Amino acid sequence: QIQLVESGGDVVQPGGSLRLSCTASGRISSTNAMGWYRQAPGKERELVARIVSGRTNYANSVKDRFTCSRDNARNTVTLQMNSLKPEDTAVYYCNARILNLATMTYLEYWGQGTLVTVSS
């Protein structure tokens, strides 16, 4: 069974930094995308950053502030968040597209979410 486990969510003041981490475990033979989404109260889930085939896509709202990186050997993805703003407050979800060995198709997997609160 494949699981994604996030860590690093916390309360931070505006202008501060946080680092989120996510590790995928289970029978993983191939992962062709990993990244982060977030969902703020009353809003839809949105892309934050995602690494696909070696290229990283960022939401415009986080460009130049957030950095997403991946360690393929360890099946981990991290999100370094700097210059945090109150509007970054949300539950952050790790996402990965992993090959399902039973069906030989890539499926989307999600973590349980970690809460980031930016407040003074």
Side-chain angles (χ1 to χ4, degrees):
Q1 183 177 357
I2 293 173
Q3 287 188 316
L4 303 182
V5 178
E6 304 110 329
S7 62
D10 205 343
V11 179
V12 63
Q13 292 187 343
S17 298
L18 275 179
R19 184 179 179 89
L20 304 183
S21 295
C22 171
T23 300
S25 62
R27 288 191 66 192
I28 299 171
S29 64
S30 176
T31 303
N32 67 5
M34 289 191 81
W36 296 88
Y37 288 71
R38 68 186 181 187
Q39 187 167 18
K43 295 188 177 181
E44 294 186 352
R45 190 174 296 189
E46 63 176 2
L47 172 71
V48 177
R50 200 177 197 206
I51 303 173
V52 181
S53 300
R55 297 187 63 179
T56 307
N57 298 311
Y58 292 96
N60 288 333
S61 59
V62 307
K63 280 181 181 177
D64 301 323
R65 298 189 299 124
F66 290 10
T67 302
C68 184
S69 58
R70 179 179 168 182
D71 184 333
N72 293 332
R74 299 182 179 183
N75 289 316
T76 62
V77 62
T78 60
L79 185 68
Q80 177 66 43
M81 305 184 293
N82 299 325
S83 302
L84 283 161
K85 304 175 181 180
E87 51 263 43
D88 294 318
T89 296
V91 177
Y92 284 70
Y93 296 91
C94 177
N95 167 266
R97 189 186 302 150
I98 300 172
L99 181 64
N100 182 288
L101 295 176
T103 63
M104 295 306 290
T105 58
Y106 282 91
L107 300 179
E108 301 283 347
Y109 292 86
W110 296 89
Q112 81 285 356
T114 185
L115 178 62
V116 172
T117 302
V118 184
S119 174
S120 55

